[in-house]
Amino acid sequence: MADKISKEQRSLNMARIRGTDTRPERIVRSLLHRAGFRFRKNVKSLPGKPDIILPKYKMAIFVHGCFWHQHPGCHRSTVPKTNRQYWIPKLSGNVERDKKHLSTLESLGWNVQTIWECEANAASEVVLALIEKLTSCVPES
Ligand SMILES: [Zn+2]
């Protein structure tokens, strides 16, 4: 019985890891939605496929997993001790790609925000500060 529960929990965890609609993204979106912002999600036409864009503010938001995108200084971004010859280039490749996407988006005039999964809970000061910033800034059109 105990094994069955842990198996279910495990597949739930895996779904969470694989899914494109991750929990942190949902939290950020629902905060934005509640604050009355219009946005689009998973925008494939832009570099790096931003998780959320606010077209009116020309803002692109990435909600990054701390491990896959190597959140600097975060305990969740620890490189696994085994198989390091696989993980190190893989993870640093992700970081390099993120940097490239960010600078391409910025050169196209987008304001890019990165929200880390460890910060994206309902009480998150980062998300609330972002909403406050958007509320106080005047949209371009
Ligand atoms: Zn983190």
Side-chain angles (χ1 to χ4, degrees):
M1 201 57 189
D3 189 49
K4 190 170 177 258
I5 291 165
S6 73
K7 240 182 236 166
E8 275 162 14
Q9 186 59 43
R10 204 156 46 228
S11 65
L12 218 129
N13 290 343
M14 289 312 287
R16 211 176 285 149
I17 292 163
R18 285 207 205 98
T20 49
D21 198 25
T22 59
R23 215 174 94 80
E25 279 173 48
R26 276 210 304 276
I27 293 167
V28 174
R29 280 202 296 265
S30 78
L31 284 169
L32 288 170
H33 183 77
R34 235 183 297 159
F37 291 101
R38 307 278 302 271
F39 54 84
R40 286 170 56 205
K41 58 176 188 168
N42 304 326
V43 184
K44 294 189 178 65
S45 55
L46 286 173
K49 284 184 270 173
D51 298 307
I52 300 163
I53 64 163
L54 295 117
K56 200 166 144 187
Y57 298 86
K58 212 158 187 212
M59 178 177 281
I61 301 174
F62 288 98
V63 182
H64 277 344
C66 296
F67 175 71
W68 290 107
H69 298 272
Q70 291 289 287
H71 186 190
C74 177
H75 73 279
R76 297 190 199 187
S77 68
T78 314
V79 178
K81 287 195 174 63
T82 55
N83 224 350
R84 292 177 81 87
Q85 66 272 52
Y86 167 77
W87 286 112
I88 291 170
K90 166 108 184 136
L91 294 171
S92 62
N94 289 347
V95 173
E96 282 311 304
R97 243 187 329 273
D98 290 343
K99 272 191 208 152
K100 217 160 65 194
H101 292 147
L102 190 138
S103 65
T104 311
L105 281 165
E106 282 180 344
S107 71
L108 293 168
W110 287 85
N111 181 357
V112 184
Q113 297 286 330
T114 302
I115 295 171
W116 297 96
E117 66 172 331
C118 66
E119 301 169 334
N121 57 61
S124 170
E125 283 172 26
V126 177
V127 181
L128 294 174
L130 182 64
I131 288 171
E132 201 161 304
K133 196 171 127 195
L134 288 173
T135 311
S136 63
C137 87
V138 182
E140 278 169 29
S141 59

